[in-house]
Structures are given as C-alpha cells and as structure tokens.
Amino acid sequence: MDALLSTDTFYGMIMSGAKQVINDENKLNELNVFPVADKDTGTNLASMMRYIVDNLSVTKDTPELLHQLAQHGLVGCSGNSGLIFSQFFYGLTQHSLTEKTLIKLHDFVEMISKGYQSAYASVSNPKPGTILTVMEKWVESYRDLLKNAGINLADSFKSSVEKSKVALRETMNQLEVLRNNNVVDAGAQGFVTFLEGMLGYLVGSKDEREKILAGSADIENTAKLSHEFEDVTEIPDLRYCFETVVRTTKTDFSDEERKKLDRLGDSIVVGKGPQMLKLHIHTNEPDTVTSLLAETGDILYQKIDDMMLQYNIAHNHSAGNKIALVVDTMADLPLEFIQSNNIYRIPLQVKVNNHSFLDQISINYHQILDYLNDNDNKIGTAAPSAAIVSRALHFLEQFYDSIIIITVGSSLSSTYDVIANQAAKFKHKKISVIDSKLNSAPLSLLVTLAAQMIKDGSSHDAIVKSLDEAKANANILIVLNSLKGLIRSGRLSKSMGMLAGLFRLKPIIQIDVNTGKPKVIGASFSKRGGWKKICKKLNELKIKEQLKSIAVVHSDSDERAKFFGKYINRKTNMTPLFITEVSSVSGIHTDKDSYAIGYINEPIRQLEY
C-alpha cells in the first residue's frame, strides 16, 4: 500500500510523458475533429509539452517540482485540451503531501484526484467523451486499486493506464462527431499518450531511463519569463514592454540583429539558455520585432504590457471610471477607440508553423496574408495563454472596483473557458465574464455599448444586464470573396467550398443563433449583388425594429470598404459607427477582399476618440 515514488523518478516520468506527446504530435492532429476540426490539438499539446521539457528542472522535493510543472503548463498551454491539461497540473499542487521527497501511493491517488477536479472545473460546459472522461476513469481505476493492499507502484500504474485506454476507446461512442468519423477524442488520446510515456520511464531499465532524459538534465539558466509588472511611474516614451522566448541553436543575437533591435526600441535585455533566447524590449513596433525574431528561430511564447495603458490606469487617467472593460482581440475595433477608452485587450494566439504570435499585437493581418500565400505554411489560432489572462486580471484588480470581460463566442473559440477559469480564481473581486456568442463586428458593438455605459456612469450590474439583452439581437452579415478561410479552419466542409467555387459564388454568412457557428444563408454572383442582399436584410430588420446600430469590417480593402459603408448608408439610411480592418485571427477564417456588417438592436452614439 505504501509504495513510494521519489521526486527524481516522478520528474523522469513527467519528462518522458511530455516527450511522448511531442513525438505523437501529428498523430494527435489527425484525430482532431472536436470541438472544431482544425487539426491542431496535437500541435497545441506538443507546444505546451515542449515548454515543459525546456523549462522543468530537477528539484529538491516534489512540491517544488509540481509548482514548476503547474507554472510551465500554464505559460505554455493553448487550445481546449492544452488548457485542461494545464489545469490538471495545477490541481496536483492542491494536495498536501505527507512526505516531500517520497510520494506514497495513497498520496498519489489524492494528488491526481485533485488534478482531475481542477481540470473539470476549468470547463464551462463539460461533455462526456473528452479528455475529462479519460482523466476521471483513470482516477477512479486508481482508487479501486488502493483496495489491493499488496499492489506495488509499477503494477498499479500499469493497470491504471490500461483502464484509461478502455475509457479512451469508449469516447468514440460518447460523442456523435467521433462516432461519425470513427476516431477517439484527440485530447483524450493526448492524455493517454502522456500516461504511456510516464509508464515507460517508470518500468524502464537504467539505460532506457538515461536515454529518455538525454538532453534534459538540470537547467539553471533556462530563459524564463518575468511575471512582474513594469513600474510605470511616468509617461513612457515607448508604448509596449515586450518579452519573447525563442527556440534557436544560436547562442546570442548577431551584431546586425542587435543593431536592428536597437533601432526598434530600448531597455533591451537578452536572456540565454540551452537552445533558447529570451528578449526583453520596450518598443512601439512589436510586430516588426517579432518578424526579426522569427528569422532566428521558433517563437515559443510572448508576453506584452501596454505601458501607456498601465500608466493611464494607474494614474487615474480613466475619467474616474471604477469599472474595467476587457475584451479579446476577436473584437475588431479601431485602435484609437480602444486606447482612448482604456479598454484592456487580451490577445488570442496565432500559430504559424512553430511560431506562436499575439493577435493584433505581434502580428497583423497583412503579415498573415503573406503567410497564407504559401500553402506549405501551417496556420491556425488558439485561445489566449492562461498566464496572460491571469496577469491582466492581477493588474486590473489593483485599480478597479469591478471588471467586465466580453469574449468571442464560446462555440467559436475556447477563449471564454480560458478567461472564465482564470477569473473564477479572483474570488475577492467582482468580475463578470460575458460570452458574446459572436465575433468580429457585433462583438465590437457590444464592447462599444459597454464603453459608453461606463462613461455614462452606469452600474456594473446594469451594464451586464444590457449586454445580455443586446447580444440576443446582435449578429453579423458577411460577404466572402470565397470560402477558403472557413474551410481551412475546419468550420465549413470542402464540398461546400467546391460548390461555391464551381459557380463562382460569393457566399453570404451569418452566425447561427442556435449553435453560435457560422452558416451560409445565401450567395451572389458578384460583390455588389451580395451588398444588395445584405441591405435588403438590414432593411427587413429595421422594419421589425430589430436593428439600431451597425459597423463595417473588411479584409485588406480599405478604400472599397469606405465605398461599401457609403453604399450601406444610401440603401438603409444608416451610418456605420466605424469601418475597420479585421484582426489577424479573423482574417485567417475569412478571405481577402471580404466585407462584413455587424448589427445590434441598441442605439450607440458615434464613436469619440
């Protein structure tokens, strides 16, 4: 019963499990059909595991090892499964071990039980047949094994892994989308793969263990990110404090690269580690800095602080407002409006090959277009890093009485789950996380409404109530140049795209109010025909008194978008509150030369900035 697991052995098991997930990245991607068939679950999990492998070091005791694991998992996670996995690691730290350097079997079971509970609590709407189901069955099987007083650690772990494989196979019968595609859940497979890697180390010979740990010895100088806020006591000359971790075989930046960095900013600090460099810089051009760094290696992680925004907030430059307004970067708003209203943005992640960028901050839509022009590039998106969300809330809670966060629709991204999970940890602060059910232009209109209500002195509860009512009658109408973006992201089938391409149709898209996902509601043979149909729809909504404010978003078509805005005004007698370009995340899911109208059934004043 009191089989013991040493800290060193547990470290090796974690490293082995992480490496096994990295090795199986492509296999996991092929399984990925839920919640969106975007084939990136393996990439998201492997990205997190690489961060753990690169940063986790041997410690003197197990609690410190678990603390490191939770921290690195949080920083490195992305996507649904990555978030859940990281919260499992966090939960391991919540059990108080009876011994620091040796884990007893009953302590191990209680520890993984806390891990499952934490993972389960991180998801707003848990479904059977996912990684959570396999976690639960694994923990339950281990509890059953405790009844056998004579079982040892290796045998118990091996038996529990076999039980997890049975639970994995059952996921195919628990979710219809898995059954239809004859696959198991990708996230669940990733968890089982991790367990199999751990088992391989536990039962392996000395030579096998040494091979697994090769290149993963104690690392003292690994580049780690600072989690301290910049002390912004005077108006900064440069807006952003930017940190980036790059995986590279280089030991330092070249003289030429240093000169380029010097031209882009100041306060430059370079941290070094085995096959990693960390850059700290103050700059107004984080996207340009990122382009330079992407040439030196793989962008693993980025952290950014808007020092001007922090200065304005800290020095009460927010016109006495006591309510913080936070939004993710799926809200396509004019940057001037965001900055003048001290709206705090949480960036989604843009994944390009082995790089991880910050949407609208370290990568812009025009850079995405360059990447999209090469079909060999692997491009995707992911929810914000949980660490960045936590960091934002820690800052805002110091200066505001309450916080309102408006997110992209939970059916379109796991962003809501990531943010809600982190917000729940701030139990002493009033925080409302609102699932907009929308994206892009209508999401932006909700943010605009909230900003104006805050400026008008409305209460926290009154704003939340208005937003809940407003989102029920908000939506978007999109005239796409093609369906390439939606097909690429797994949100529409290839057959639909082939049909549209065959007839050279310009699809018209709207968000399905029941599923929260995009659906084709019509098509035209030309953009002007699509514009005409959109105006007809807007006028119908006006007659029904279901529309009071609109906004225009476009992809790489600024002049034509302005013409589009005038056309809308002529046909509907409504003036768009703003005309702006899509974010890099939105642009990935649309196509160049596309247009959208967001609408809401609430009167919103013309923007002031």
Side-chain angles (χ1 to χ4, degrees), residues 291-459:
S291 293
L292 172 62
L293 296 180
E295 297 175 1
T296 69
D298 298 336
I299 307 292
L300 295 183
Y301 179 78
Q302 297 187 315
K303 185 264 312 178
I304 194 160
D305 290 327
D306 185 333
M307 296 185 294
M308 184 67 76
L309 175 63
Q310 290 181 352
Y311 177 84
N312 289 340
I313 291 173
H315 294 269
N316 203 28
H317 286 193
S318 52
N321 295 331
K322 297 299 181 182
I323 304 170
L325 180 58
V326 182
V327 64
D328 62 66
T329 51
M330 278 294 279
D332 295 322
L333 274 164
L335 182 61
E336 296 84 356
F337 179 77
I338 292 170
Q339 293 177 348
S340 66
N341 285 273
N342 286 339
I343 298 171
Y344 204 107
R345 289 190 300 172
I346 294 178
L348 276 74
Q349 300 180 75
V350 177
K351 305 285 189 176
V352 180
N353 301 326
N354 294 321
H355 302 305
S356 182
F357 303 126
L358 300 178
D359 178 38
Q360 293 204 53
I361 296 173
S362 64
I363 191 169
N364 58 50
Y365 177 60
H366 295 278
Q367 290 170 322
I368 278 294
L369 285 179
D370 291 338
Y371 283 118
L372 288 173
N373 286 333
D374 185 347
N375 292 329
D376 291 334
N377 286 326
K378 295 180 180 179
I379 303 174
T381 62
S385 157
I388 284 181
V389 176
S390 177
R391 179 184 181 82
L393 296 179
H394 273 298
F395 173 75
L396 293 171
E397 69 163 343
Q398 301 174 64
F399 303 104
Y400 290 97
D401 294 338
S402 65
I403 302 170
I404 294 175
I405 308 170
I406 311 173
T407 76
V408 60
S410 58
S411 62
L412 299 169
S413 166
S414 58
T415 297
Y416 172 81
D417 282 337
V418 175
I419 293 177
N421 175 63
Q422 293 304 308
K425 297 177 181 178
F426 292 77
K427 302 185 186 303
H428 57 286
K429 181 67 62 173
K430 186 172 186 177
I431 303 177
S432 296
V433 185
I434 299 170
D435 177 1
S436 72
K437 309 290 186 184
L438 303 161
N439 67 349
S440 192
L443 170 58
S444 302
L445 288 171
L446 290 175
V447 176
T448 306
L449 174 63
Q452 292 190 353
M453 292 186 72
I454 289 173
K455 184 172 287 188
D456 292 342
S458 299
S459 69

Side-chain angles (χ1 to χ4, degrees), residues 471-486:
K471 72 182 185 182
N473 292 305
N475 213 314
I476 191 169
L477 293 165
I478 310 170
V479 179
L480 289 175
N481 196 35
S482 77
L483 287 172
K484 290 180 182 178
L486 290 176

Side-chain angles (χ1 to χ4, degrees), residues 540-554:
E540 289 173 354
L541 291 168
K542 280 182 64 180
I543 291 171
K544 296 176 183 177
E545 296 186 348
Q546 295 178 350
L547 180 149
K548 292 190 174 65
S549 302
I550 61 173
V552 170
V553 173
H554 66 92

Side-chain angles (χ1 to χ4, degrees), residues 498-547:
M498 290 177 62
L499 186 64
L502 182 64
F503 294 100
R504 297 185 179 180
L505 297 175
K506 307 298 180 186
I508 300 175
I509 305 291
Q510 191 171 42
I511 298 295
D512 188 316
V513 294
N514 295 316
T515 66
K517 295 185 178 181
K519 67 174 182 179
V520 178
I521 61 169
S524 66
F525 292 102
S526 66
K527 288 188 183 69
R528 186 63 66 91
W531 295 3
K532 185 176 180 180
K533 289 186 177 183
I534 280 182
C535 289
K536 180 180 179 182
K537 178 68 174 176
L538 293 176
N539 283 321
E540 289 173 354
L541 291 168
K542 280 182 64 180
I543 291 171
K544 296 176 183 177
E545 296 186 348
Q546 295 178 350
L547 180 149

